Amino acid sequence: MKKPGRPTNVSVSVVLLAGGVGKRMGASIPKQYLKLRGQEIAAYSLKTFAQMPEVAEVVVVCEPMWRDVFERAMVGARAGMTFKWALPGKERQDSVYNGLQAIRPESALVAIHDSARPLVTAADARKCFADAAEIGAAVLGAPCKPTIKEVDAALNVVKTLKRSVLWEVFTPQVIRPQLLRQGFELVVSKGLEVTDDVSIIEAMGLPVRITPGAYTNIKVTTPDDLMVAEKFLEEMEMQGSKATVTA
């Protein structure tokens, strides 16, 4: 049963960030354009969002030389889906800002997603959309598994953080567009640097909800991550095949 105040049919603009360099991967091309089981990493999430009825448009933030990757992935998108382009900025927050300027004014939510996270599911994204529609800002995440310690400059342990209250956050990070625009005004006026989008909303003193999501929504930044993603994708494909047979 749908909870009161949690709409599921909302108009969402997705800003797909694909301008990163990916130095930690050690590859000759940005990590999001490496192949994962025969398809560019960045193409996976675009295809996922392009089939969601809640998503009205996808703004791809990338260098023009990589647009053909996304143009190929756009084939087969649901009817009525709109695609746009924006240029990446110097920092992540600059790329988000550029993408935000391109979204249509009537969108209820903007969902910012790292294209290096290929395995986000439509089901998890949909839950995050609903949370953001209710509270104003939401981000996919999962409880932190390892023990986390705070250290000083000399790598001496300062304290062990309480794991039960720690969450690892993923993307998409979903925000009401007007809130994000107001947040960027604060970022500019105070000269803030933020590494994720909902931090802007936190800086405004407004609530952000974490939407529980799958651990498989990893960010591919190293060769080891690529191998893990391949394994996850194989398992997800097997589960999908089983569900189809059962149905």
Side-chain angles (χ1 to χ4, degrees), residues 13-197:
S13 292
V14 171
V15 173
L16 186 62
L17 301 178
V21 177
K23 294 179 181 179
R24 282 177 287 180
M25 182 64 74
S28 59
I29 62 174
K31 60 183 180 294
Q32 61 270 27
Y33 301 117
L34 295 174
K35 295 288 184 71
L36 173 62
R37 291 175 68 88
Q39 179 174 253
E40 289 87 353
I41 290 171
Y44 281 90
S45 57
L46 183 138
K47 287 185 174 182
T48 297
F49 290 121
Q51 293 297 330
M52 296 183 66
E54 300 90 344
V55 175
E57 63 180 358
V58 178
V59 179
V60 180
V61 184
C62 72
E63 296 290 352
M65 65 181 292
W66 295 109
R67 288 182 180 178
D68 63 308
V69 170
F70 300 98
E71 288 170 346
R72 290 194 298 271
M74 291 171 187
V75 176
R78 69 166 181 79
M81 175 63 61
T82 300
F83 297 98
K84 298 177 181 176
W85 306 103
L87 292 174
K90 182 180 179 181
E91 304 292 341
R92 185 185 191 279
Q93 67 192 52
D94 302 317
S95 294
V96 172
Y97 181 82
N98 291 348
L100 179 63
Q101 303 317 301
I103 72 170
R104 62 185 205 157
E106 62 267 34
S107 285
L109 299 170
V110 56
I112 300 102
H113 186 69
D114 290 327
S115 64
R117 293 186 183 273
L119 304 184
V120 63
T121 67
D124 278 354
R126 190 168 286 117
K127 290 188 297 181
C128 199
F129 296 166
D131 279 342
E134 179 181 350
I135 201 170
V139 53
L140 278 180
C144 199
K145 289 183 177 181
T147 297
I148 305 295
K149 294 183 182 291
E150 180 182 338
V151 300
D152 60 20
L155 298 183
N156 295 314
V157 174
V158 176
K159 62 180 177 180
T160 299
L161 302 181
K162 190 176 180 181
R163 186 171 59 184
S164 62
V165 298
L166 297 177
W167 282 65
E168 178 183 1
V169 296
F170 310 141
T171 63
Q173 304 199 6
V174 188
I175 304 166
R176 292 175 188 159
Q178 187 56 35
L179 283 183
L180 188 55
R181 293 189 182 98
Q182 293 171 2
F184 270 115
E185 292 176 2
L186 178 67
V187 166
V188 172
S189 66
K190 293 193 174 183
L192 302 177
E193 289 189 13
V194 293
T195 56
D196 76 337
D197 314 298

Side-chain angles (χ1 to χ4, degrees), residues 2-21:
K2 186 174 71 173
K3 295 181 180 179
R6 289 177 61 86
T8 54
N9 295 321
V10 292
S11 174
V12 181
S13 292
V14 171
V15 173
L16 186 62
L17 301 178
V21 177

